[in-house]
Amino acid sequence: MKTIITYGTFDMFHVGHLNLLRRLSEMGDRLIVAVSTDEFNKGKGKKTLIPYDQRSQIVESIKYVDMVVPEESWEQKLSDVKKYNVDVFAIGEDWKGKFDFLEDLCEVVYLPRTKNISTTDLKKSLKRFLSIPHEDLIQAFEVLELLRRDLE
């Protein structure tokens, strides 16, 4: 049995996440996904919108995923590879070279990201939207309502 493991926050789950999990599941027989806990993300200076319990439930419900474990530290990767008899450690190419130290224990694969989608970009768009003054949003919706009426 070929076991694959990957790590991620999986905040604001999107098609890029789904594509990654699908590709990983095709690489072996069992896919383990370590989802970063809220505490671990906080220690990395990363704020999540969706709490760990919900993120792990979302990932666990994906048909490509066989097991979800909490990611609580950087050092955990080494022990997880041993604990779960991992054959392939795989992660997005934005981490290229960072986990080569695992090559003595398993194959290390860096996968390309899905083009034009990322949680970071989604959060930036949301932040820009939320920074629009309330009065401007009300005015925009009033204009849209007038347009809708004109098109009826």
Side-chain angles (χ1 to χ4, degrees):
M1 179 186 297
K2 190 173 183 180
T3 300
I4 315 297
I5 195 165
T6 193
Y7 293 76
T9 299
F10 299 97
D11 197 21
M12 297 179 69
F13 197 91
H14 53 71
V15 74
H17 293 134
L18 188 62
N19 289 341
L20 173 70
L21 297 176
R22 180 185 313 110
R23 284 183 288 180
L24 293 174
S25 74
E26 292 168 354
M27 293 171 62
D29 305 299
R30 181 171 90 148
L31 175 58
I32 300 171
V33 179
V35 176
S36 303
T37 63
D38 296 332
E39 296 76 20
F40 182 47
N41 279 318
K42 190 175 184 180
K44 294 187 285 184
K46 195 173 188 182
K47 186 175 181 187
T48 56
L49 296 174
I50 301 171
Y52 169 78
D53 301 3
Q54 293 175 26
R55 290 183 286 111
S56 63
Q57 283 180 51
I58 291 166
V59 173
E60 197 170 50
S61 72
I62 306 298
K63 69 180 181 179
Y64 307 114
V65 176
D66 298 297
M67 178 186 213
V68 170
V69 297
E71 180 188 20
E72 300 172 307
S73 72
W74 291 110
E75 300 76 27
Q76 176 182 339
K77 291 170 181 63
L78 188 61
S79 59
D80 283 352
V81 166
K82 293 175 185 174
K83 180 179 179 179
Y84 299 112
N85 297 313
V86 169
D87 298 291
V88 179
F89 172 95
I91 201 156
E93 68 183 352
D94 47 327
W95 291 98
K96 193 158 184 78
K98 300 278 193 226
F99 301 106
D100 290 351
F101 66 91
L102 295 170
E103 288 177 340
D104 292 340
L105 299 170
C106 64
E107 181 183 356
V108 176
V109 176
Y110 299 99
L111 294 169
R113 298 177 67 94
T114 299
K115 290 191 186 313
N116 302 321
I117 183 120
S118 78
T119 304
T120 302
D121 291 346
L122 289 172
K123 284 182 178 179
K124 284 179 185 173
S125 294
L126 185 58
K127 189 174 183 177
R128 279 193 305 270
F129 176 76
L130 293 174
S131 69
I132 297 171
H134 182 74
E135 299 76 26
D136 290 352
L137 286 174
I138 298 225
Q139 186 177 10
F141 283 117
E142 287 171 355
V143 169
L144 287 172
E145 178 60 21
L146 290 173
L147 286 171
R148 185 188 66 78
R149 287 182 192 157
D150 286 348
L151 294 172
E152 286 182 342

